[in-house]
């Protein structure tokens, strides 16, 4: 079989490496940092430990499939998965609070009716039914199959269904998430609940296609999960599976160029001047960076088909504050609380067009995993606060970081009783710092229909034969499960050839 060079040791890249090794290929992963996992990292200090990337796992079936296809040990033999219940507690701008049960439509409907008023739960439940239709129509072409050569056909018809308008005796089709909130949910708090799912992926609901309704649907249908010991444990398990399948890892090895010969990818060049020959190259890096790696050897990628990234556009990133607290969590503490902002419109404006007179309080996610592995003892607690902000929000100014840190702490007081008195120390992590240390500081949403391809990631194949793209910034992109899906797609393309069409 062939020699395969993999650029980067992120989750999608490792998923592809494990599958390719099982197929008999000789696989070597070149990672510029000293560890694996990409954005799925960990920070430790004074006996406290924190996930510095994703803190929860949707769609665990993606990794269950990976472990079934690459060895005898199932995922649950390698990590302990815990279903989070409630799935989330929401604190809205008007002070209203609601805890949503995990993977229970009836429970969610009842909770929303009680907290927001009669009828609110039914409207959300009806919305989830329509979201399921969008999921059924987009699941295979957008998540389970390589991106079609004629990807524009995906934009011809918005998969989110029309809704009958009783008074006008006709149907109307919501084109964006904002229109769903205004036309169908008809409650600012329900709209904020919907918008928070988009914002978590760095999407502006005002121009995000209605097909993004699949994001809350996935959480509702498949549940929200936590990996005991922290999400870093999932990265460890995938890395160890790769090693057992005889994947070789070379850390501290930065790839500076993708080499080509006779019109196809032929290997990689390393920062130390070394040259590695390969029959295939799998790149788990940003499309813009990959374009630069191929330009160095005279094989630039196609800007429209292979990259499709606006280099001047502000990109969303995750601003994180890690808290070491004295005192353990109170009984019944929610694992995840989402604190909604007083001015969501301005928050969204700053996400897509950073600047303005001053920062504003953003939507804040508070993660409180009741996990002994993440704290010195039962008399302490580790908490992660995060917000999605522009990577160009003026982070060179210390005042900007201080302002957002204060905003996150202020919001977290609605989720953590006695926060200020319990605080021992905090660690702030800027989006640009995460990018520098892991290469994965930016947030990428999964591929979505509509928008004339704007919401589609570049395909796993490129115009350079033998060069494939994998990970969160390639099709289907966006977060842990979608990175794992892209790994499966790339492995299928290499092993099965261009006729591979994903899960059957």
């Amino acid at each position: 079989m062939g020699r395969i060079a993999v650029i980067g040791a992120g989750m999608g890249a490792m998923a592809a490496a494990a599958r390719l090794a099982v197929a008999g290929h000789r696989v070597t992963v070149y990672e510029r940092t000293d560890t694996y996992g990409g954005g799925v990292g960990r920070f430790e200090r004074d006996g406290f430990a924190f996930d510095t990337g994703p803190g929860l796992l949707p769609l665990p079936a993606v990794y269950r499939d990976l472990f079934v296809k690459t060895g005898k040990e199932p995922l649950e033999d390698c990590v302990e998965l815990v279903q989070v219940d409630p799935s989330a507690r929401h604190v809205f701008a008007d002070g209203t609070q609601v805890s949503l049960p995990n993977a229970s439509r009836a429970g969610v409907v009842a909770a929303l009716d009680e907290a927001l008023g009669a009828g609110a739960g039914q409207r959300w439940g009806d919305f989830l039914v329509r979201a399921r239709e969008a999921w059924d129509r987009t699941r295979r072409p957008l998540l389970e199959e390589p991106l079609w050569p004629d990807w524009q056909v995906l934009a011809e018809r918005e998969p989110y269904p029309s809704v009958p308008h009783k008074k006008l005796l006709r149907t109307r089709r919501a084109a964006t998430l904002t229109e769903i909130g205004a036309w169908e949910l008809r409650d600012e708090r329900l709209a904020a609940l919907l918008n928070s799912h988009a914002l978590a992926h760095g999407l502006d609901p005002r121009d995000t296609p209605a097909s993004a309704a699949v994001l809350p649907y996935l959480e509702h249908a498949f549940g929200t999960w936590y990996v005991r010991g922290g999400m870093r444990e999932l990265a460890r398990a995938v890395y160890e599976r790769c090693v057992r399948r005889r994947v070789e890892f070379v850390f501290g090895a930065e790839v500076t160029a993708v080499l080509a010969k006779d019109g196809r990818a032929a290997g990689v060049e390393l920062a130390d001047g070394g040259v590695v020959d390969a029959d295939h190259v799998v790149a788990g890096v940003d499309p813009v960076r990959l374009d630069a790696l191929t330009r160095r050897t005279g094989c630039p990628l196609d800007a429209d088909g292979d990259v499709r990234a606006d280099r001047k556009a502000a990109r969303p990133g995750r601003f994180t504050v890690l808290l070491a607290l004295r005192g353990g969590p109170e009984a019944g503490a929610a694992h995840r609380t989402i604190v909604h902002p007083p001015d969501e419109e301005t928050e969204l404006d700053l996400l897509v067009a950073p600047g303005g007179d001053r920062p504003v309080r953003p939507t804040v996610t508070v993660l409180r995993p009741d996990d002994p592995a993440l704290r010195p003892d039962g008399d302490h607690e580790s908490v992660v606060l995060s917000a999605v902000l522009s990577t160009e929000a003026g982070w060179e100014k210390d005042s900007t970081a201080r302002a957002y840190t204060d905003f996150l702490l202020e919001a977290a007081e609605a989720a953590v009783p006695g926060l200020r008195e319990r605080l021992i120390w905090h660690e702030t992590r800027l989006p640009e710092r995460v990018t520098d240390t892991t290469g994965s500081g930016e947030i990428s949403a999964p591929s979505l229909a509509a928008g004339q391809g704007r919401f589609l990631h570049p395909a796993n194949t490129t115009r350079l034969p033998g060069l494939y793209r994998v990970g969160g910034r390639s099709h289907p992109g966006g977060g842990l499960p979608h990175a794992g899906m892209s790994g499966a797609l790339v492995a299928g393309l290499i092993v099965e050839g261009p006729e591979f069409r994903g899960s059957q």
Side-chain angles (χ1 to χ4, degrees):
M1 301 296 281
R3 301 164 299 174
I4 298 180
V6 179
I7 306 173
M11 298 299 285
M14 289 197 296
R19 291 175 181 269
L20 289 167
V22 167
H25 294 283
R26 289 183 295 162
V27 185
T28 304
V29 178
Y30 299 91
E31 167 57 46
R32 69 181 183 89
T33 70
D34 60 359
T35 189
Y36 53 84
V40 185
R42 172 173 288 182
F43 177 82
E44 298 180 1
R45 174 181 164 186
D46 301 337
F48 294 90
F50 309 84
D51 283 323
T52 57
L56 295 171
L57 177 66
L59 277 177
V62 173
Y63 285 91
R64 291 190 178 111
D65 181 70
L66 171 65
F67 277 71
V68 166
K69 300 291 177 57
T70 59
K72 297 181 180 180
E73 292 179 303
L75 176 64
E76 278 81 354
D77 283 358
C78 302
V79 297
E80 181 183 355
L81 292 179
V82 181
Q83 197 164 18
V84 176
D85 200 8
S87 174
R89 173 177 168 235
H90 288 263
V91 179
F92 298 104
D94 66 355
T96 306
Q97 301 184 22
V98 62
S99 293
L100 302 179
N102 198 341
S104 169
R105 182 179 183 277
V108 167
V109 168
L112 289 173
D113 275 342
E114 181 179 354
L116 307 186
Q122 186 62 50
R123 290 195 299 277
W124 184 261
D126 291 343
F127 156 72
L128 288 176
V129 171
R130 292 186 289 277
R132 177 178 179 175
E133 291 187 43
W135 166 251
D136 289 340
R137 295 171 181 174
T138 62
R139 176 177 58 86
R140 290 197 64 176
L142 288 179
L143 297 181
E144 297 182 355
E145 298 181 353
L147 191 59
W148 301 341
D150 182 15
W151 53 262
Q152 295 190 46
V153 299
L154 296 173
E156 292 177 356
R157 183 174 183 271
E158 167 60 50
Y160 186 77
S162 301
V163 178
H165 193 291
K166 297 179 181 179
K167 293 184 179 180
L168 300 180
L169 299 178
R170 62 179 175 83
T171 60
R172 68 193 311 180
R173 183 181 299 281
T176 67
L177 290 185
T178 294
E179 291 180 349
I180 290 177
W183 298 355
E184 301 176 32
L185 300 179
R186 304 190 304 280
D187 185 298
E188 290 183 356
R189 295 160 298 183
L190 287 180
L193 172 58
L194 172 60
N195 292 347
S196 67
H197 288 273
L199 187 59
H201 291 280
L203 295 169
D204 181 349
R206 297 171 299 186
D207 66 358
T208 298
S211 58
V214 298
L215 299 176
Y217 173 76
L218 290 178
E219 184 172 298
H220 160 75
F222 302 105
T224 303
W225 300 78
Y226 172 69
V227 179
R228 185 72 69 185
M231 292 301 299
R232 179 68 178 175
E233 286 298 293
L234 179 62
R236 174 198 56 77
V238 176
Y239 168 74
E240 291 180 354
R241 177 56 53 92
C242 287
V243 172
R244 290 176 184 172
R245 302 284 79 81
R246 298 186 179 180
V247 174
E248 181 182 356
F249 285 80
V250 184
F251 294 107
E254 181 177 1
V255 173
T256 56
V258 174
L259 306 178
K261 182 179 180 181
D262 298 328
R264 63 174 289 115
V268 297
E269 178 182 286
L270 304 177
D272 63 5
V275 172
V276 179
D277 295 330
D279 299 298
H280 302 276
V281 176
V282 176
V285 299
D286 184 287
V288 176
R289 183 186 168 208
L290 181 59
D291 182 42
L293 295 181
T294 57
R295 284 181 183 277
R296 284 205 56 198
T297 51
C299 298
L301 300 181
D302 175 56
D304 292 327
D306 291 326
V307 179
R308 286 209 310 278
D310 186 349
R311 299 169 191 250
K312 297 181 180 179
R315 297 187 179 187
R318 185 172 284 108
F319 177 83
T320 306
V321 180
L322 314 177
L323 307 182
L325 304 182
R326 60 177 61 89
E330 72 279 8
H335 188 121
R336 175 176 57 165
T337 300
I338 299 173
V339 184
H340 296 265
D343 186 359
E344 184 182 81
E345 196 75 14
T346 301
E347 174 192 19
L348 296 175
D349 288 342
L350 291 177
L351 178 66
V352 298
D357 297 332
R358 60 182 180 85
V360 298
R361 203 188 89 186
T363 300
V364 177
T365 298
V366 182
L367 294 181
R368 305 177 66 191
D370 188 5
D371 190 340
L374 304 183
R375 60 193 185 217
D377 52 50
D379 293 328
H380 294 85
E381 182 181 7
S382 64
V383 176
V384 178
L385 316 179
S386 64
V388 177
L389 304 169
S390 170
T391 56
E392 300 176 12
W395 300 115
E396 70 280 358
K397 302 176 183 177
D398 292 339
S399 60
T400 301
R402 286 197 301 269
Y404 278 116
T405 298
D406 289 341
F407 280 139
L408 266 62
L409 289 171
E410 175 189 339
E413 290 183 282
V416 185
L419 173 65
R420 300 281 184 173
E421 294 75 20
R422 298 175 57 195
L423 183 61
I424 303 173
W425 52 260
H426 71 271
E427 171 83 10
T428 298
R429 298 175 66 84
L430 306 181
E432 61 182 15
R433 177 182 175 187
V434 178
T435 299
D436 291 341
T437 56
T438 70
S440 302
E442 297 166 0
I443 296 174
S444 182
S447 287
L448 299 169
Q452 297 182 345
R454 178 184 169 199
F455 294 95
L456 294 176
H457 288 274
N460 304 104
T461 56
T462 69
R463 69 192 298 259
L464 181 63
L467 174 62
Y468 300 86
R469 193 187 339 269
V470 71
R473 301 178 187 89
S474 64
H475 179 78
L480 281 175
H482 303 99
M485 289 175 183
S486 71
L489 292 178
V490 166
L493 286 166
I494 293 176
V495 174
E496 305 293 340
E499 297 305 313
F500 173 69
R501 280 295 175 263
S503 302
Q504 301 297 324

